[in-house]
Each structure stands twice: as C-alpha cells, then as structure tokens.
Amino acid sequence: MNTVLAKALRWESVLFVLCVLVFAYGATSTGEFTEQGNLSFLLLDYSEVALLAFALVPIILTGEIDLSVASVLGFCSALTGALWDAGMSFETIVPLVILAGVVLGSVNAVLVVRLGLPSLAVTIGTLGLYRGLAYVVLGDRAVTGFPENYRPLATDSAGFLPYAAVVVAVVGLLVALLVHATPAGRSVFAVGLGAGTARFSGIRVGRLKTALYLLSGALAALASLIYTLRYNSARADNANGMELVAVAAVLLGGVSIFGGRGTVAGVALALLAMAGLRNVLFLDDVSNEIQNVITGLLLIASVLVPVVVKPRRTKDVPLETTSVDDGRRPGADPDRGVRRDHQGV
Amino acid sequence: MGAGLALTLIAGCGGTTKGSDAAVGGDDKAGGASANPDAPLKEGLKIALLPKEIDNPYMTVMDKGGTDAVAELKGTGKAVGPSDAQASSQVSYINTLIQQGQDAIVIAANDPNAVAPALKEAMSKDIAVVTLDSDAAKDARQVFVNQASSEEIGRSQVKLIADQIGGSGKIAILSATPNATNQNTWIDFMKDELKKPEYAKIELLPTVYGDDDDQKSFQEAQALLQKNPDLKGIISPTTVGIAAAARYLSSSPYKGKVKLTGLGTPNQMREFVKDGTVTEFALWDPGELGYLAAYAAAALASGQITGAEGEKFKAGKLGDRTIGKDGEVILGPPTTFNTDNIDDYDF
C-alpha cells in the first residue's frame, strides 16, 4: 500500500513540477501571462473541459469510459437554446437541462451495465447519437440573448478567480472526496482492479457504474450551462470534440485507462498544466497545429515515461491476477493485473 | 403590456425569460469618441487578422491581403486563428490578442454571437475591431467590410445556375456550416430570387451542409446525386464546397450534365473549368477584402474614423471608401470566372 501511495505521489510531483515549469515559462516569456485578466481567462477557458474530466475520472477508474460527455454537453446546450427560445424562464431551464443530462447518462448506463455491452463501443455510439439529437432539438440555429443577470456567473471573476472556476473547484473537491474518502470510492478502485473480485466481495458493481454514468450526465449538463452562458450562444455543435481533451487530461493526470489507479489531484494538476500550456502557446503565437502536436506528445510521454523508467515491477503485481475475473462482459480483461503493471504511473 | 404579463405568467413563476428586462443586454456601442478625419494614419500599429480557420485557402489569400496592407502602413501585421471553424474556437484567440495589446483586430466571425462578448471587451480596451467576410453582432464591432452586397451575391448565383440549366429542373445548395452568417444570408436571397416567375420551373431541394470540410462536402455532393439522379444543378456558395463538388462531378458520369456554380477561387477551380465540369462561377478578390479591412482597422486605430455612417477613409490602392449604414463598407461586385478570363487571375 505504501509503495502504491509513494508511486502515486511521485507522478503527482512530476505533474506539479510540470505546472511550475509551464507557469514559470509563461511568466518569463511574455509579460502578459501573469496579468490578472489573463490568469482568469486561462482558468475560464478550461472550465468545461475540467468538468468533463472530473465526470470521467470515477468512470475510468472502474475500467469503463464515457466518450459521449461532449455530445451530452452539446445536446444540453441545444436544449437550453430551444427552451429559452420558446420563452421558458431560465430558472426552469436549469433543472430541466440537468435532468436531461442525467437521462442521457442513464441511457449509457442501461447499455453498458444492464446489457453488458463494452462502454467504448456504446459511448462512441451515443457520442454520435446525442450530437445528432442536438441537431434534432435545435436544428442549425444558434440561440443567443441569454439573461444578463446570469451570464456574469460564467464570464466574470472575483479577482483573478472566475466564478466558473470556483464551481469547477467545488466539483473537483466533491469528486475527490467521493473517490478517495468514501466506501463508494473504495468500491470504484476495487471494480477497476477486477470487477469479478469486486462482485464476489459484495460490491454492487452494476449499481455503482450506473450511478457514475448518471453523475457524468449531470456534470456534462452543468458544463453545458457554463458553456452556453459563457459564449452566449446555444448551438448543436458546441464543444464538438471536447471529449478527447478531457480524456487526455484524465490520462495525463495518471489515471490508468484500464482502471483501478489514479487520483483526482493528479487530474487537477494535469488540467492546470494543459490550460497553462495552451495559454502560453497562444500568447507566443504558436499555431493550433503545433499546439496539438505538443499536447499529443505530452500525453504519449505521460504513459511512456513510467514504462521506460521502470520496466520491471513484478513485485507489485496485485493479487487479482489469480482471481476469477468476470468473463461475462466482452470488455472484461482477464490480464488486467498484468497490463496494469505496464501502465504504471 | 397585457401580452407581456401573460407571457410572464405562461413562462411560470415570473422567472427570467427571453425578452424580459434582465435578459436584454444593456450594452451600448463603445464610443463617444469623435472622429478626426485629418488625423494621420499612425505608423507601427499592431494589427492582427483572425480568419475563420487558418488553413482555408480563401482565408489565406485574405490574410495575405491584410498583412500586405499593414506592411504598407509600416505596422506589424499577423494572422492567427483556429484550425477548425467551430463557433467558440475564435474566442481564445481574441482574448490572447487583447492580452497582447494589439491596436486592432480584423476578424471573420464563425459565430456572430459567440465572439461578441470577447470583441466587446477588446473595444472597451480601445482596440479597434473590424469584421470582414462574415460579420459579428453589430454592437460587437465598429466596421464590417462586406465583400459585395449580400443581395447581389445571392441573386446573381441563381441567375448563373438558371442560365446554365436552361431555366428548369431540380437544383440544390451545398453550403458551409449551418450557422455560417454569410452563406445563410445569401441563401435567403437565393430563395427570394427563385420566387420570381421566370424561375417557376426550377425546384430547390433542401440545403445540404459540407461544413467547409473537403471530405464532408465531397460526400454530400455524392449523396445529393444518389438521392436525386435527375438533379440539374448545384450552387455551392463556399470555396471549399464548390471545389469538392467539382472534384466529385469531374470523375462521375454526371460530368458536364449536372451544372455546378457558386463561389470559388480561380486557382482551385481552373482545372474544372478547363475540363468542362464547371462553366461559370463567381467570387470577389479575397486579397482585396483583407486589404480593405486592414486599412479600415488602421483608420479606426488612428482615430480617423469611428465607424459612423458617412465617414470616409483612404484605402491605399483601392481609393477612397465611405462607411455605409450599420458601419458597413462594401468591396464591390463579384467577378464571374469562365474559360475566357480565368487565366487572368492567380489566387
């Protein structure tokens, strides 16, 4: 247990150093970087990505995935636009949109948990499905003119700290508490390390995963409200492709794609590093293509470096390699224990 | 009054609804500054061009025209922008340009509303904001440099296709993204033009969208003909769309039979005009568009103009220009390209 903790801390330390480097480089390379307005924009620009990433953390920890998060955001944004345009009050729209996000999350849950389908395939499907439904709801229109009394919540800051970033921080904290400090959180890790073992240990695997997909839908809906208010524009194509940025942040944060390993703190640091890097590169007039190359290389390095640095860690192969893994789900990976070792961070 | 009350009641609980006081933006156009027509154009101005997307050949020519003009004015010009035409992707760039303390931003907006808050912030920091090609919300910029009157563009496209298909049959429009401001305005004028009696025999199919993506546009053109084998003509009012559709038609059995027109660049369309796939298409010079917008930006940043109707400024090789209604400056009528003149142009 100690070695696991030590290792985790070590990856977070690497990320922390990365953050320091990015921000130090930003502060020295351009004077504009440390200005209050820029720092708050830096945080604001990643608020939706951060919410999606926090939604993904517990799901990926269980060894599943939800690639539909950005499409849920798009659908909820379109729904917000359609309802607002129809004259509904914003106070009524907010709970309805959150509910819609939960409903979309429950569709994922039914397909993955009840029918036992692989979550990668399911959520690639719903990624397209929900985006398509967004166009059904709002068509090719763009709705604007959202209330000026709520918009500042998504655009303004207290000092350099945007209100939206406070929301993100609170959500991050709650997810961290859920994952690291509750029995449910321990179950999340147990399921990620081996669903079969977890089930035999009395964990209600299906119920747990269902709850996480519902949570994911709700957080994506929350992100859609911030996105829609921030840009003052509800459209079906909002946040197209954002799921990949969110998944990248989670993986860079040290969460194993096979589940069972990772921390919310790591993901938070990864988000901060990515947001800072993006901002610095913008200020230095680095083109979008090169930015993507840099982010891509960083992600590959994050999974490659630990493998190269520590090729053998047989001591750490956990007990569940000998356990009865559940062969029920096509997505189940009987070699998880071994694979996880190569994944080590 | 009664209707307003009823609406509030229907909306429930007296909450914040569309059109209620809290929902209406109180932003007034930044300004109060007065124009000084005799002010000299400042040297050393930092002017940034923000195209819809950075790798679009049309936008590249436009950026080149803009940075050339900035160079003539002894300023520092640059073009930055996203690699996708999504609504919000320009906002990060606008914020960066504000932080960098540019003197002027020249932008072709992907979404008129999504960029508006950021552009307003730029104006509040005394950065001149000019839109070109595709406008932003009117209160979020000072001057809009329009390629040609939208009405003229829309109606002339219908005339071009009607001539080529002999005035009857099914036609379809292959557009850019569903929210592209300029394409939608032109399409509205096309639809209006088609209501005229001389076009009664032309049937317009629902518009399809290639999202200004080459592959998607190609597939949409292909799908159009699979679904409508009796299609007579396609109008594609976007340079990406028309080039992709031409590439599909040129290698299909429909080559020469299904007519294609729209807005394209001569360099992209040359081979298709020469091989008979395309008879005639139109466009203005995007380089001149960027050039004119950069001059307007410099005039704004130097205090020569404020964007009010009737103000005049000098636009280098393009001569004197006057600002029209709603801060619009018009470049001029589109040029029609065919086998006779296409080799005279290189962009």
Side-chain angles (χ1 to χ4, degrees), chain A residues 84-296:
Chain A
W84 176 252
D85 205 34
M88 189 180 277
S89 76
F90 202 74
E91 293 81 354
T92 321
I93 292 174
V94 171
L96 280 180
V97 163
I98 301 283
L99 183 68
V102 172
V103 169
L104 296 185
S106 73
V107 174
N108 284 331
V110 167
L111 294 170
V112 173
V113 178
R114 293 273 158 164
L115 302 179
L117 304 173
S119 57
L120 183 66
V122 165
T123 58
I124 285 176
T126 51
L127 178 154
L129 174 70
Y130 297 163
R131 185 65 68 183
L133 288 178
Y135 280 100
V136 171
V137 166
L138 196 60
D140 48 22
R141 291 181 301 143
V143 174
T144 185
F146 290 99
E148 294 292 331
N149 51 344
Y150 292 118
R151 286 203 44 234
L153 289 174
T155 56
D156 288 7
S157 306
F160 75 90
L161 197 63
Y163 303 130
V166 177
V167 173
V168 171
V170 169
V171 168
L173 212 56
L174 290 177
V175 172
L177 284 174
L178 170 79
V179 168
H180 299 301
T182 63
R186 280 194 289 282
S187 305
V188 165
F189 282 94
V191 171
L193 290 170
T197 319
R199 192 170 286 114
F200 283 117
S201 318
I203 294 170
R204 289 163 147 166
V205 178
R207 182 178 289 192
L208 182 72
K209 285 182 180 172
T210 302
L212 296 181
Y213 276 105
L214 299 188
L215 176 69
S216 167
L219 287 179
L222 178 64
S224 88
L225 291 168
I226 294 179
Y227 194 109
T228 307
L229 289 177
R230 186 152 81 91
Y231 292 112
N232 198 12
S233 183
R235 299 159 48 116
D237 73 344
N238 274 352
N240 202 357
M242 195 184 270
E243 65 281 338
L244 293 181
V245 187
V247 171
V250 174
L251 298 188
L252 180 61
V255 175
S256 163
I257 191 72
F258 302 109
R261 189 188 289 235
T263 65
V264 176
V267 175
L269 285 167
L271 286 163
L272 202 57
M274 283 168 73
L277 190 62
R278 176 176 151 89
N279 189 280
V280 172
L281 295 177
F282 263 123
L283 285 174
D284 286 349
D285 285 336
V286 175
S287 77
N288 212 2
E289 291 83 350
I290 303 296
Q291 289 194 30
N292 290 341
V293 169
I294 293 174
T295 319

Side-chain angles (χ1 to χ4, degrees), chain B residues 309-333:
Chain B
E309 187 172 353
E311 289 174 349
K312 288 186 168 58
F313 65 98
K314 285 189 168 48
K317 65 179 180 188
L318 296 177
D320 288 2
R321 295 288 166 141
T322 307
I323 297 174
K325 194 168 159 288
D326 288 333
E328 261 192 48
V329 179
I330 288 176
L331 178 66

Side-chain angles (χ1 to χ4, degrees), chain A residues 45-66:
Chain A
D45 207 25
Y46 246 57
S47 49
E48 297 92 0
V49 172
L51 286 175
L52 299 190
F54 288 139
L56 281 167
V57 170
I59 292 181
I60 296 182
L61 281 174
T62 64
E64 302 290 354
I65 188 97
D66 182 358

